[in-house]
PDB file of all heavy atoms in Angstrom:
ATOM      1  N   CYS A 260     -20.976  14.195  12.124  1.00 97.00           N
ATOM      2  CA  CYS A 260     -21.171  15.603  11.748  1.00 97.00           C
ATOM      3  C   CYS A 260     -21.835  15.752  10.383  1.00 97.00           C
ATOM      4  O   CYS A 260     -21.441  15.134   9.407  1.00 97.00           O
ATOM      5  CB  CYS A 260     -19.826  16.327  11.743  1.00 97.00           C
ATOM      6  SG  CYS A 260     -19.959  18.054  11.257  1.00 97.00           S
ATOM      7  N   ILE A 261     -22.871  16.581  10.319  1.00 97.00           N
ATOM      8  CA  ILE A 261     -23.546  16.855   9.054  1.00 97.00           C
ATOM      9  C   ILE A 261     -23.236  18.264   8.544  1.00 97.00           C
ATOM     10  O   ILE A 261     -23.932  18.781   7.685  1.00 97.00           O
ATOM     11  CB  ILE A 261     -25.074  16.653   9.168  1.00 97.00           C
ATOM     12  CG1 ILE A 261     -25.673  17.517  10.287  1.00 97.00           C
ATOM     13  CG2 ILE A 261     -25.408  15.181   9.391  1.00 97.00           C
ATOM     14  CD1 ILE A 261     -27.201  17.462  10.345  1.00 97.00           C
ATOM     15  N   ARG A 262     -22.171  18.876   9.089  1.00 94.00           N
ATOM     16  CA  ARG A 262     -21.678  20.163   8.599  1.00 94.00           C
ATOM     17  C   ARG A 262     -22.749  21.257   8.604  1.00 94.00           C
ATOM     18  O   ARG A 262     -22.909  21.962   7.612  1.00 94.00           O
ATOM     19  CB  ARG A 262     -21.100  20.013   7.180  1.00 94.00           C
ATOM     20  CG  ARG A 262     -20.066  18.936   7.031  1.00 94.00           C
ATOM     21  CD  ARG A 262     -18.792  19.359   7.703  1.00 94.00           C
ATOM     22  NE  ARG A 262     -17.944  18.183   7.971  1.00 94.00           N
ATOM     23  CZ  ARG A 262     -16.843  17.890   7.294  1.00 94.00           C
ATOM     24  NH1 ARG A 262     -16.446  18.663   6.342  1.00 94.00           N
ATOM     25  NH2 ARG A 262     -16.126  16.841   7.614  1.00 94.00           N
ATOM     26  N   CYS A 263     -23.469  21.354   9.708  1.00 94.00           N
ATOM     27  CA  CYS A 263     -24.513  22.374   9.761  1.00 94.00           C
ATOM     28  C   CYS A 263     -23.961  23.702  10.239  1.00 94.00           C
ATOM     29  O   CYS A 263     -24.581  24.738  10.059  1.00 94.00           O
ATOM     30  CB  CYS A 263     -25.619  21.915  10.702  1.00 94.00           C
ATOM     31  SG  CYS A 263     -25.138  21.959  12.434  1.00 94.00           S
ATOM     32  N   SER A 264     -22.818  23.674  10.909  1.00 92.00           N
ATOM     33  CA  SER A 264     -22.116  24.849  11.441  1.00 92.00           C
ATOM     34  C   SER A 264     -22.799  25.493  12.650  1.00 92.00           C
ATOM     35  O   SER A 264     -22.433  26.584  13.052  1.00 92.00           O
ATOM     36  CB  SER A 264     -21.851  25.905  10.354  1.00 92.00           C
ATOM     37  OG  SER A 264     -23.021  26.631  10.076  1.00 92.00           O
ATOM     38  N   ALA A 265     -23.754  24.800  13.257  1.00 93.00           N
ATOM     39  CA  ALA A 265     -24.385  25.347  14.453  1.00 93.00           C
ATOM     40  C   ALA A 265     -23.375  25.530  15.578  1.00 93.00           C
ATOM     41  O   ALA A 265     -23.441  26.501  16.336  1.00 93.00           O
ATOM     42  CB  ALA A 265     -25.521  24.428  14.910  1.00 93.00           C
ATOM     43  N   CYS A 266     -22.419  24.608  15.685  1.00 93.00           N
ATOM     44  CA  CYS A 266     -21.466  24.684  16.800  1.00 93.00           C
ATOM     45  C   CYS A 266     -20.543  25.894  16.672  1.00 93.00           C
ATOM     46  O   CYS A 266     -20.027  26.403  17.659  1.00 93.00           O
ATOM     47  CB  CYS A 266     -20.662  23.396  16.908  1.00 93.00           C
ATOM     48  SG  CYS A 266     -19.759  22.937  15.420  1.00 93.00           S
ATOM     49  N   ILE A 289     -16.017  21.761  15.789  1.00 92.00           N
ATOM     50  CA  ILE A 289     -15.928  20.466  15.112  1.00 92.00           C
ATOM     51  C   ILE A 289     -14.591  20.335  14.394  1.00 92.00           C
ATOM     52  O   ILE A 289     -13.975  19.272  14.390  1.00 92.00           O
ATOM     53  CB  ILE A 289     -17.127  20.241  14.152  1.00 92.00           C
ATOM     54  CG1 ILE A 289     -17.042  18.868  13.467  1.00 92.00           C
ATOM     55  CG2 ILE A 289     -17.224  21.326  13.094  1.00 92.00           C
ATOM     56  CD1 ILE A 289     -17.141  17.685  14.400  1.00 92.00           C
ATOM     57  N   CYS A 326     -25.416  21.006  18.777  1.00 96.00           N
ATOM     58  CA  CYS A 326     -25.186  20.012  17.730  1.00 96.00           C
ATOM     59  C   CYS A 326     -26.423  19.143  17.483  1.00 96.00           C
ATOM     60  O   CYS A 326     -26.925  18.491  18.393  1.00 96.00           O
ATOM     61  CB  CYS A 326     -24.004  19.124  18.088  1.00 96.00           C
ATOM     62  SG  CYS A 326     -23.696  17.855  16.848  1.00 96.00           S
ATOM     63  N   PRO A 327     -26.925  19.111  16.246  1.00 97.00           N
ATOM     64  CA  PRO A 327     -28.137  18.345  15.949  1.00 97.00           C
ATOM     65  C   PRO A 327     -27.919  16.839  15.996  1.00 97.00           C
ATOM     66  O   PRO A 327     -28.906  16.104  15.979  1.00 97.00           O
ATOM     67  CB  PRO A 327     -28.504  18.795  14.530  1.00 97.00           C
ATOM     68  CG  PRO A 327     -27.222  19.233  13.931  1.00 97.00           C
ATOM     69  CD  PRO A 327     -26.422  19.822  15.061  1.00 97.00           C
ATOM     70  N   VAL A 328     -26.686  16.378  16.029  1.00 97.00           N
ATOM     71  CA  VAL A 328     -26.453  14.933  16.155  1.00 97.00           C
ATOM     72  C   VAL A 328     -25.694  14.596  17.442  1.00 97.00           C
ATOM     73  O   VAL A 328     -25.092  13.533  17.558  1.00 97.00           O
ATOM     74  CB  VAL A 328     -25.716  14.358  14.924  1.00 97.00           C
ATOM     75  CG1 VAL A 328     -26.680  14.242  13.742  1.00 97.00           C
ATOM     76  CG2 VAL A 328     -24.526  15.215  14.541  1.00 97.00           C
ATOM     77  N   ILE A 330     -22.937  15.443  19.041  1.00 96.00           N
ATOM     78  CA  ILE A 330     -21.517  15.118  19.164  1.00 96.00           C
ATOM     79  C   ILE A 330     -20.993  15.784  20.431  1.00 96.00           C
ATOM     80  O   ILE A 330     -21.124  16.996  20.597  1.00 96.00           O
ATOM     81  CB  ILE A 330     -20.715  15.607  17.945  1.00 96.00           C
ATOM     82  CG1 ILE A 330     -21.256  14.961  16.675  1.00 96.00           C
ATOM     83  CG2 ILE A 330     -19.234  15.300  18.115  1.00 96.00           C
ATOM     84  CD1 ILE A 330     -20.650  15.517  15.395  1.00 96.00           C
ATOM     85  N   ILE A 332     -18.508  17.266  21.728  1.00 94.00           N
ATOM     86  CA  ILE A 332     -17.233  17.869  21.351  1.00 94.00           C
ATOM     87  C   ILE A 332     -16.324  18.129  22.549  1.00 94.00           C
ATOM     88  O   ILE A 332     -15.134  17.814  22.513  1.00 94.00           O
ATOM     89  CB  ILE A 332     -17.461  19.152  20.511  1.00 94.00           C
ATOM     90  CG1 ILE A 332     -18.180  18.785  19.210  1.00 94.00           C
ATOM     91  CG2 ILE A 332     -16.145  19.862  20.215  1.00 94.00           C
ATOM     92  CD1 ILE A 332     -18.556  19.969  18.337  1.00 94.00           C
TER      93      ILE A 332
HETATM   94  S1  SF4 C 501     -20.402  19.150  14.967  1.00 56.67           S
HETATM   95 FE1  SF4 C 501     -21.018  21.257  14.509  1.00 56.67          FE
HETATM   96  S2  SF4 C 501     -21.204  21.325  12.289  1.00 56.67           S
HETATM   97 FE2  SF4 C 501     -21.166  19.154  12.862  1.00 56.67          FE
HETATM   98  S3  SF4 C 501     -23.311  18.576  13.072  1.00 56.67           S
HETATM   99 FE3  SF4 C 501     -22.626  19.168  15.110  1.00 56.67          FE
HETATM  100  S4  SF4 C 501     -23.120  21.348  15.269  1.00 56.67           S
HETATM  101 FE4  SF4 C 501     -23.252  20.805  13.090  1.00 56.67          FE
END
Side-chain angles (χ1 to χ4, degrees):
Chain A
C260 179
I261 56 174
R262 307 288 161 107
C263 72
S264 77
C266 57
I289 181 64
C326 179
V328 285
I330 301 172
I332 297 176

